[in-house]
Amino acid sequence: MYIGSFGHDHLELKLRSTDVYFDIRDDFPTCVDKTSRYGINKSVQKNYLKQDGVKALYKKEIYEKVMKKIHRRKHHNFRVFIGDSSGAKESVILAERLERDLVKKHKIVSSIDHITLTASV
């Protein structure tokens, strides 16, 4: 499985019909941590997931929908994209969390790519 995080402000993506896409610009709260520019920092990830309602929204809006797709398709050969406004914090944190949950709970190995961080912006 491929998991990608990206920013709508910086990148246009061409999605396939088999891709799973989550737009978190309106639903998820913004990260209040101003110390780090990117969400790769583990302490920033921990603080963001402790904010009110973030973990419940993640489980309901992202994790459960991905698991439903996995059970319905019976294979893991598809791409998941999590898009945010700038792509530097919230989408990175949620993509990292999804990858960690899939490995720990279901032994599903995935490749993860933070497209905005690797693109030249």
Side-chain angles (χ1 to χ4, degrees), residues 32-33 37 70 111 119:
V32 294
D33 191 301
R37 187 171 159 199
I70 289 172
S111 65

Side-chain angles (χ1 to χ4, degrees), residues 49-64:
L49 291 170
K50 286 182 182 176
Q51 281 183 227
D52 282 344
V54 173
K55 196 177 277 190
L57 264 174
Y58 160 76
K59 280 193 181 275
K60 181 182 167 204
E61 295 296 323
I62 296 176
Y63 179 73
E64 288 179 3

Side-chain angles (χ1 to χ4, degrees), residues 62-78:
I62 296 176
Y63 179 73
E64 288 179 3
K65 290 181 181 179
V66 168
M67 291 313 300
K68 194 181 292 185
K69 292 279 187 187
I70 289 172
H71 292 305
R72 192 178 318 143
R73 292 180 182 188
K74 303 294 184 207
H75 64 81
H76 312 151
N77 190 19
F78 61 93

Side-chain angles (χ1 to χ4, degrees), residues 27-101:
D27 298 338
F28 282 80
T30 57
C31 189
V32 294
D33 191 301
K34 303 291 184 203
T35 59
S36 177
R37 187 171 159 199
Y38 300 115
I40 296 175
N41 188 339
K42 296 293 182 196
S43 64
V44 173
Q45 292 179 8
K46 203 180 246 188
N47 289 337
Y48 180 66
L49 291 170
K50 286 182 182 176
Q51 281 183 227
D52 282 344
V54 173
K55 196 177 277 190
L57 264 174
Y58 160 76
K59 280 193 181 275
K60 181 182 167 204
E61 295 296 323
I62 296 176
Y63 179 73
E64 288 179 3
K65 290 181 181 179
V66 168
M67 291 313 300
K68 194 181 292 185
K69 292 279 187 187
I70 289 172
H71 292 305
R72 192 178 318 143
R73 292 180 182 188
K74 303 294 184 207
H75 64 81
H76 312 151
N77 190 19
F78 61 93
R79 304 185 310 172
V80 176
F81 289 101
I82 302 174
D84 194 12
S85 57
S86 64
K89 279 198 181 175
E90 293 83 5
S91 61
V92 170
I93 293 169
L94 295 173
E96 291 274 338
R97 179 62 187 224
L98 179 62
E99 189 237 356
R100 196 173 321 126
D101 285 347

